[in-house]
Amino acid sequence: MATTQDALYRRIDLDLSWSERDLPERVRTKHVHRLHPYLGKFIPQLVEALLARHVPKGRVLDPFAGSGTTLVQALESGYDASGADVAAFNCLLMRVKTREYNPFVLESELRDALARLDGFEGRRPDGSVSRFLRDWYAPRAAAELLFFRSLVEDYEHADVLRVVLARAARSARRTTHFDLDFPRTPQRSPYWCHKHRRECRPVGEARRFLRRYSLDTLARVKEFARVRARGRHATVLHGDARELDFGARFDGVVTSPPYPGLIDYHEQHRYAYELLGLEECRELELGKGSSRPALAAYVEGIAAVLANVRGSLRRGAPVVIVINDRRELYPEILERAGLRLEERYRRHVNRRTGRRAGEYFEDVLIAR
Ligand SMILES: C[S@@+](CC[C@H](N)C(=O)[O-])C[C@H]1O[C@@H](n2cnc3c(N)ncnc32)[C@H](O)[C@@H]1O
């Protein structure tokens, strides 16, 4: 017999299972959480609740920090935080989200860059344009992106401009509106759009995205500055969490590790790597593939990260892991890492930020 909604909900943690009405997208992606799309992030309200439940005040670590949800929420909730990620773009994004800015300097730099962009007449870029740019962008869009890129180094807040550039590059790709997450081939001609139920055209320029996202970023950074706790700081570490020295003692961990075969965390931001020339460490990314050997490597890899994390924890500090462990890999992972599972609860995920819609559950594991 099919499980009724009631029976289902009795087994899950209702306080952590928000409906769309409780927590609309605008709230889930408040202030800097929306500086750039990222597939596979958890929501700040979940981090907020888990910190309040499990982590005494102090310093929090996320060894798979991704787009920085844990770090940003930790700063808002009054903790110091450190986050590690193997993907350079994620680290750039986290640094931009968590840095403290002089808002006047930031605003004048962004407005200056936009004024220079306004004066750009669209001339062809000097030198050769990469294959990726030629394939995925209309010539005008590529020229505008490359012009903006040529400005970046002139500013103190170059990293903020880099994130704006990446976000605009994502929107300006020659893709269909309904396939922005996983475009396979460039869309060069008008197409029937399932999302808008009409004929749409692929994007031909980047300028309007650069403008819109510069102003949006500024507003979001200012909004976060108003709510973050005073005197709290975040540290971002780029590297393989199996080997990094996290450099502090932590009062707790809140993390959501990658899961086998789901998301390629470098590939989803390919345009950013192409445009910004960031270092790629694809071979160190955990969770690639779901074959039997890939699963064995995954178990070993995540266990190695958690064992490394353990060495940086204060005595008794909790390790809070959010995961949809449908293959039941985590009992073995925790054991190998020398952690003991203390508590486990399930939450219903109404709709994950930046993910496809649909019924989805995940577990929260509390280990020490
Ligand atoms: C599920 S995501 C984390 C998302 C994050 N909770 C958020 O809200 O943005 C997992 C992250 O682990 C990172 N990762 C994969 N292998 C890693 C490794 N060996 N060391 C550090 N980070 C790694 C990926 O790049 C990815 O960003």
Side-chain angles (χ1 to χ4, degrees):
M1 205 169 70
T3 325
T4 64
Q5 280 298 86
D6 264 7
L8 189 63
Y9 274 78
R10 239 179 276 135
R11 280 189 277 124
I12 67 174
D13 191 316
L14 280 178
D15 289 340
L16 299 181
S17 305
W18 297 273
S19 69
E20 185 66 27
R21 190 162 357 132
D22 299 334
L23 216 50
E25 150 116 53
R26 176 177 45 78
V27 184
R28 300 195 301 265
T29 57
K30 61 183 174 173
H31 52 73
V32 292
H33 293 291
R34 215 214 175 97
L35 285 198
H36 191 284
Y38 175 101
L39 290 179
K41 61 185 175 190
F42 52 19
I43 56 172
Q45 289 77 12
L46 176 63
V47 176
E48 183 178 18
L50 295 175
L51 286 172
R53 267 190 202 186
H54 299 289
V55 185
K57 280 279 172 342
R59 179 172 276 277
V60 186
L61 172 65
D62 186 346
F64 299 109
S67 67
T69 312
T70 303
L71 271 57
V72 171
Q73 183 56 49
L75 293 176
E76 196 174 329
S77 296
Y79 297 77
D80 289 309
S82 295
D85 206 283
V86 75
F89 180 69
N90 300 351
C91 292
L92 170 70
L93 186 54
M94 285 193 267
R95 288 198 180 98
V96 167
K97 286 180 176 180
T98 56
R99 219 193 122 158
E100 285 183 275
Y101 298 91
N102 175 330
F104 301 105
V105 175
L106 181 61
E107 177 153 4
S108 83
E109 291 199 339
L110 286 169
R111 291 197 186 275
D112 187 67
L114 288 179
R116 290 166 75 187
L117 181 66
D118 283 345
F120 176 63
E121 282 152 9
R123 67 174 183 279
R124 285 178 159 273
D126 307 330
S128 66
V129 173
S130 73
R131 176 75 203 264
F132 178 85
L133 281 174
R134 272 186 281 128
D135 284 350
W136 284 95
Y137 297 91
R140 195 164 126 208
E144 289 165 352
L145 292 169
L146 289 171
F147 175 74
F148 198 79
R149 186 179 73 177
S150 75
L151 307 181
V152 163
E153 292 288 348
D154 296 348
Y155 298 100
E156 182 186 331
H157 296 308
D159 280 349
V160 179
L161 276 89
R162 289 189 179 99
V163 168
V164 169
L165 175 64
R167 188 172 168 196
R170 182 179 191 275
S171 298
R173 286 169 305 171
R174 284 168 157 160
T175 59
T176 56
H177 287 133
F178 51 85
D179 203 14
L180 276 167
D181 287 344
F182 305 105
R184 276 165 287 271
T185 47
Q187 178 71 35
R188 292 164 189 277
S189 48
Y191 58 94
W192 175 253
C193 180
H194 306 302
K195 190 168 164 191
H196 299 115
R197 303 196 150 276
R198 60 176 156 84
E199 188 176 86
C200 287
R201 293 173 171 278
V203 176
E205 50 128 7
R207 196 183 293 251
R208 72 185 143 107
F209 297 114
L210 288 162
R211 165 164 287 281
R212 190 194 304 160
Y213 297 154
S214 293
L215 300 177
D216 183 64
T217 297
L218 181 62
R220 288 176 179 278
V221 165
K222 285 183 179 174
E223 199 186 328
F224 181 47
R226 286 194 288 273
V227 297
R228 63 188 288 168
R230 285 194 192 290
R232 297 289 158 213
H233 299 285
T235 306
V236 176
L237 303 159
H238 179 214
D240 183 345
R242 283 170 286 196
E243 293 178 350
L244 277 172
D245 174 356
F246 299 113
R249 291 268 151 207
F250 295 92
D251 299 281
V253 169
V254 176
T255 194
S256 65
Y259 207 69
L262 285 186
I263 296 174
D264 183 323
Y265 288 96
H266 277 83
E267 190 57 27
Q268 68 161 301
H269 300 129
R270 168 99 187 272
Y271 46 89
Y273 289 90
E274 295 278 349
L275 266 172
L276 300 174
L278 300 168
E279 183 194 353
E280 299 196 30
C281 310
R282 287 171 189 258
E283 69 295 344
L284 298 176
E285 193 181 309
L286 293 167
K288 291 280 182 60
S290 51
S291 64
R292 203 191 262 254
L295 293 181
Y298 174 83
V299 168
E300 193 180 319
I302 302 285
V305 171
L306 295 177
N308 187 25
V309 163
R310 250 185 71 208
S312 298
L313 294 180
R314 288 191 199 286
R315 184 189 283 270
V319 177
V320 179
I321 301 171
V322 178
I323 195 86
N324 172 353
D325 186 18
R326 58 195 169 82
R327 295 188 178 88
E328 289 288 331
L329 303 174
Y330 273 73
E332 182 184 345
I333 288 174
L334 293 179
E335 195 183 322
R336 282 199 192 203
L339 290 164
R340 195 168 46 80
L341 182 65
E342 232 171 47
E343 208 182 334
R344 176 179 193 140
Y345 37 88
R346 176 156 292 194
R347 70 182 214 99
H348 176 237
V349 184
N350 180 49
R351 206 153 177 267
R352 282 193 300 172
T353 306
R355 297 276 304 176
R356 287 151 288 190
E359 203 72 290
Y360 184 82
F361 296 88
E362 61 193 11
D363 285 344
V364 181
L365 315 177
I366 318 296
R368 278 179 224 267

